Amino acid sequence: AHLEAFGTLEAVFQGLSELVRASGPSTRIAFNLDDPWLAGLEDSLGDRGIPFGRAERAAVRLLDEEAAGATVSLLVKRHKVAARLPMGGRVHRLTAAAAAAGAVGMGLGPGAVARGLEAYQPAPLRFETRKHPSGAVIVVDAYNANPGSMRAAVETFLEAFPSGRRILALGDMKELGPESARLHRELGEWLAERPVEAVFMAGPEMAAAAESLKTASPVPADGAPRAA
């Protein structure tokens, strides 16, 4: 996020790393061991670090193979923790692992982690599920997005709703700077390969995504719009 101000992903990483460098020697840092940028912090953090992710050496390990639906399965301090989340999807399970690692850093045990995850409710407009009188389910995730989070949101939506008519309505990804048009075009090409019935786009930045999507995924024979 915020490429417009920082210019590159490396600069974003360096800026956020200042939080780590400025923290005191007793500060615990939970970090995603699956992320190639953040994994590089492991050696410098030493005992202060609480790695989470899918790797076997993670202090809070995400057991994806044991998860089903909206359930997350974690290994916390060698104890298995299972909790039901408001929404399924790999992203939400990884976020649960991050929260669990933060809880471990504050001295909470596996039981408290499980209770906290079970009690979690998403903030408004953050993968918020709404029921429509027609029977449709609307998932509202309306905070600003970057290319990575947009893809993660779409993948999570498709995983949480594996069947039925799945339709996307997407707005501009802001703060991407001079690379915005290219990143939106790449998003459109990526969307062409997703199993959705239609994509509706709004905003001047999304125009590039709409054009690349139409090129990569022409209007089907029945005339139904793939992108609008």
Side-chain angles (χ1 to χ4, degrees):
H2 313 300
L3 281 180
E4 187 173 35
F6 286 90
T8 65
L9 283 176
E10 183 176 6
V12 173
F13 169 72
Q14 293 297 335
L16 293 175
S17 295
E18 292 176 7
L19 294 170
V20 177
R21 293 194 295 271
S23 62
S26 62
T27 303
R28 306 295 303 277
I29 305 291
F31 66 97
N32 182 1
L33 197 57
D34 298 338
D35 186 285
W37 292 100
L38 299 175
L41 298 174
E42 187 174 14
D43 290 342
S44 62
L45 287 173
D47 293 338
R48 293 202 301 143
I50 309 170
F52 65 88
R54 298 176 177 88
E56 290 189 8
R57 70 178 188 277
V60 175
R61 186 182 174 196
L62 179 57
L63 305 174
D64 266 342
E65 69 278 4
E66 298 186 14
T71 299
V72 61
S73 183
L74 304 171
L75 195 62
V76 181
K77 295 184 175 180
R78 300 183 181 178
H79 293 272
K80 280 191 176 181
V81 170
R84 183 160 183 84
L85 304 175
M87 178 73 71
R90 288 169 61 88
V91 168
H92 291 122
R93 291 195 289 272
L94 184 62
T95 302
V104 168
M106 293 187 288
L108 301 179
V113 169
R115 290 191 296 273
L117 292 176
E118 288 277 359
Y120 167 74
Q121 290 296 322
L125 306 182
R126 303 307 297 267
F127 245 83
E128 181 183 0
T129 302
R130 301 177 182 178
K131 299 291 181 67
H132 190 269
S134 66
V137 177
I138 301 172
V139 178
V140 184
D141 194 53
Y143 199 72
N144 188 20
N146 61 58
S149 66
M150 182 71 85
R151 286 169 170 77
V154 172
E155 288 173 343
T156 300
F157 168 70
L158 295 176
E159 184 179 350
F161 299 93
S163 60
R165 299 177 61 201
R166 296 175 295 181
I167 298 172
L168 304 177
L170 308 177
D172 288 343
M173 298 183 292
K174 298 293 188 180
E175 301 179 14
L176 296 182
E179 294 296 308
S180 181
R182 176 182 65 82
L183 294 170
H184 279 82
R185 282 195 302 271
E186 291 176 355
L187 174 67
E189 294 167 358
W190 179 83
L191 286 170
E193 300 176 357
R194 308 279 78 78
V196 297
E197 183 164 327
V199 183
F200 294 87
M201 298 177 175
E205 303 286 350
M206 271 293 169
E211 287 303 316
S212 63
L213 174 56
K214 288 177 181 178
T215 300
S217 182
V219 175
D222 62 6
R226 172 70 172 178

